[in-house]
Amino acid sequence: MPENQVITCRNFHTGTWHDASEGLIERNNPATGELAAIAPRSSPADVDAAVTSAATAFRTWRRTLPADRARYLHELAAECAHRVDDMAAAITREQGKPLDEARGEVRKFITALHYYAEEAQRVFGRTIPNDAAGFTSIVEKDPLGPVAGIVPWNYPIELIGWKLAGATAAGCTIVIKPSEHTPGCAQVLSECVAAVFPSGVVNFVHGDGGTGQALVEHPAIRKVAFTGSMRTGQSIFRSVNGITGLSLELGGSCPMIVTERADIDAAITGAARRSFRNAGQICIAINRIYVQDRVYDEFLTGLAAAADALHVADGMEFPSADVGSMTMEETYRRTLDHIEDARERGASVVAGGGPVAELKPGLFLRPTVVADAPDEALVMHEETFGPLVGVSRFSDLDDVIERANAAPGGLAAYAYTDDTRETFALARELDFGNVAVNNVDAGIMNAPYGGRRESGFGSEHGHEGLESYLQLKHIRLRHGAQ
Ligand code: NAD
């Protein structure tokens, strides 16, 4: 087990380490309050140096053979495999998820590196017949240029990974701005990058929203790949100049529908997992569950029991705990507010309901289920981002699909039914970028993943996650051959 050391972070660009000019950010362990990491707060000048590094490296990286890019990505995966425990311990100390879960996150990140290493070699253009003899049109795909990758704290390594791997596989270079709340694990990752990649291909610049803003506005950035809140996403949308490429992976309020034809035990297991894993701090966490009348009581009793059975503990001390500390005081408070709001609107708390007293002042909340939550309750339409789920009844399938679609975001939706007609109706009518039926793992590495409506646009994962870093070029050749 790695020692409980404070990680000192530095910016990484032009192949070397740099201090920043605007002071330091301290990050404390949310479970214990102890200092976990210190990171630079980067100024626009620091950002400019990192982007210049990426722009310089792009001139040669864009010409590397796909097979060579694949080799670098596989090598980075191997380097990271040696540092799984270091990265996972840093995640747990900064972000709060239990150590085994953090190790799982790092392993999934490594899988993404291998996946995009292979996908790098599957970028094809096409030839198009012309309407005049002696001409051929070729369509080629070129990398966009230097990319800005800006990420949140809830999956601090995996979310960097999708951008780093997709962009570099496509022939782009990248400047990554980790979250100011999880800089230490990004530092470990940047050390792996430093050991493998040529100078300037992958750069790290630490800082808060001001640093992110300077990165977004830098004129040499050709695409911003952003994951984070709706509020910041909307601000970035207004800041980019309209020509810079943009993908926005934002939050949402994800529904689950359980019909009377579902396997209720499977639905309960799925609901407990996707509502409370990572203390509910998942963009695709289930926020609200609609259950058909006839099976409502059975489902509710089972879900309350499953929530109460979850082990909430400090994830360093108990690596296999089910739920660790929440990451941020702000989301901890919001979760308590959403519980209170639901109560005031007539819902009843059937599991959890508040802090784990013996783990205070750590940010530990008991997994909470509120029953009979009205649609107006905040938990039923706003993203809580905590270990809270609201449950409500329905009788008619068309009505409940309308209620599920009513929230502004459209990231992921879940449904449980064993009826074929219901399966297709739900899969087709739920207006979300990802719909999972009879399972709760809405995102897999080789299928496109993205949101609709206020949850953003663009795709990560899958071949689409690589194509999003490419642009088309039409080359019309007059060769004279008939
Ligand atoms: P956030 O928007 O506060 O911060 C995300 C990142 O943006 C951080 O690195 C932050 O420093 C940076 N930032 C802040 N202001 C900026 C600005 N003006 N310009 C550029 N960068 C700026 O989000 P958060 O609280 O860190 O993350 C939680 C949110 O992320 C939730 O809403 C969650 O749903 C969402 N999320 C979405 C997905 C997805 O795939 N759709 C995945 C994970 C998290």
Side-chain angles (χ1 to χ4, degrees):
M1 182 74 54
E3 284 171 31
N4 187 10
Q5 57 187 19
V6 177
I7 297 179
T8 302
C9 309
R10 300 183 78 195
N11 288 343
F12 179 72
H13 58 77
T14 338
T16 51
W17 302 98
H18 302 266
D19 291 319
S21 46
E22 290 204 338
L24 296 171
I25 297 171
E26 292 190 345
R27 174 61 188 160
N28 292 337
N29 182 336
T32 63
E34 289 168 3
L35 185 63
I38 302 172
R41 189 188 301 277
S42 303
S43 68
D46 300 318
V47 169
D48 181 58
V51 176
T52 303
S53 163
T56 306
F58 179 66
R59 291 188 206 127
T60 44
W61 184 251
R62 63 183 285 269
R63 294 183 205 282
T64 49
L65 296 174
D68 289 336
R69 285 183 226 142
R71 192 169 46 76
Y72 283 114
L73 282 164
H74 283 310
E75 276 177 27
L76 179 61
E79 188 70 24
C80 292
H82 295 306
R83 303 288 304 271
V84 170
D85 282 350
D86 294 342
M87 252 187 260
I91 293 173
T92 299
R93 289 202 186 93
E94 296 173 321
Q95 195 268 336
K97 70 177 59 131
L99 196 54
D100 286 353
E101 203 178 320
R103 288 193 183 106
E105 175 180 345
V106 179
R107 290 197 191 99
K108 281 178 78 181
F109 156 71
I110 290 170
T111 302
L113 295 176
H114 286 304
Y115 174 80
Y116 278 112
E118 296 304 314
E119 217 54 26
Q121 302 171 86
R122 297 184 190 121
V123 174
F124 313 115
R126 60 193 170 120
T127 59
I128 300 175
N130 271 223
D131 53 7
F135 289 83
T136 297
S137 284
I138 302 171
V139 180
E140 288 194 339
K141 293 179 181 174
D142 288 340
L144 284 170
V147 169
I150 301 179
V151 297
W153 44 262
N154 63 330
Y155 283 89
I157 288 295
E158 220 182 333
L159 292 170
I160 290 177
W162 302 347
K163 296 165 181 61
L164 184 165
T168 58
C172 295
T173 55
I174 186 164
V175 179
I176 293 157
K177 197 205 79 63
S179 168
E180 60 273 39
H181 306 297
T182 47
C185 53
Q187 171 66 25
V188 181
L189 170 54
S190 61
E191 289 164 12
C192 298
V193 164
V196 171
F197 267 84
S199 167
V201 176
V202 179
N203 308 273
F204 288 79
V205 64
H206 290 275
D208 56 16
T211 303
Q213 182 82 30
L215 184 55
V216 164
E217 290 175 352
H218 196 290
I221 289 295
R222 291 286 169 264
K223 172 175 175 168
V224 176
F226 174 77
T227 303
S229 63
M230 282 182 182
R231 196 183 50 204
T232 307
Q234 284 163 1
S235 153
I236 290 177
F237 186 82
R238 288 191 295 270
S239 299
V240 297
N241 56 19
I243 299 167
T244 307
L246 182 61
S247 64
L248 295 176
E249 300 280 359
L250 311 179
S253 165
C254 303
M256 177 188 195
I257 294 174
V258 181
T259 81
E260 61 188 25
R261 295 193 173 83
D263 175 338
I264 300 302
D265 288 341
I268 290 167
T269 305
R273 175 181 160 81
R274 193 46 75 225
S275 301
F276 302 123
R277 196 164 171 75
N278 199 15
Q281 303 164 120
I282 314 184
C283 52
I284 55 169
I286 297 169
N287 301 109
R288 47 197 171 111
I289 306 178
Y290 305 95
V291 187
Q292 205 157 16
D293 287 322
R294 217 157 58 84
V295 291
Y296 185 82
D297 291 338
E298 180 189 353
F299 177 87
L300 194 61
T301 308
L303 181 61
D308 283 338
L310 294 172
H311 179 206
V312 184
D314 182 335
M316 284 307 287
E317 222 178 305
F318 296 94
S320 63
D322 297 303
V323 180
S325 169
M326 293 184 70
T327 311
M328 308 281 294
E329 179 88 30
E330 184 190 334
T331 33
Y332 175 86
R333 299 253 155 252
R334 183 167 64 225
T335 308
L336 289 172
D337 287 349
H338 280 200
I339 296 171
E340 198 43 44
D341 169 81
R343 266 201 188 109
E344 281 169 10
R345 292 177 195 271
S348 47
V349 174
V350 295
V356 182
E358 59 276 22
L359 293 177
K360 275 184 166 176
L363 303 178
F364 294 91
L365 282 185
R366 286 185 290 144
T368 298
V369 181
V370 295
D372 305 326
D375 289 355
E376 305 73 46
L378 295 173
V379 65
M380 299 306 278
H381 58 90
E382 269 189 19
E383 184 181 49
T384 308
F385 227 53
L388 166 65
V389 68
V391 188
S392 175
R393 289 173 187 274
F394 78 90
S395 50
D396 179 76
L397 196 65
D398 291 336
D399 284 350
V400 80
I401 291 173
E402 210 168 297
R403 286 165 75 194
N405 287 342
L411 188 53
Y414 305 88
Y416 274 75
T417 175
D418 282 341
D419 178 90
T420 308
R421 195 197 68 80
E422 285 184 351
T423 298
F424 275 85
L426 286 158
R428 288 186 172 156
E429 296 306 323
L430 285 167
D431 187 17
F432 292 77
N434 309 277
V435 179
V437 181
N438 294 333
N439 75 92
V440 290
D441 294 304
I444 60 167
M445 197 59 242
N446 55 355
Y449 166 80
R452 292 183 175 185
R453 296 178 276 124
E454 291 187 29
S455 292
F457 50 80
S459 294
E460 295 192 299
H461 288 197
H463 191 73
E464 290 82 353
L466 172 59
E467 292 278 339
S468 70
Y469 295 101
L470 295 166
Q471 57 191 334
L472 300 177
K473 181 184 279 176
H474 170 211
I475 303 168
R476 186 161 186 254
L477 293 181
R478 180 176 188 175
H479 44 70
Q482 297 299 306

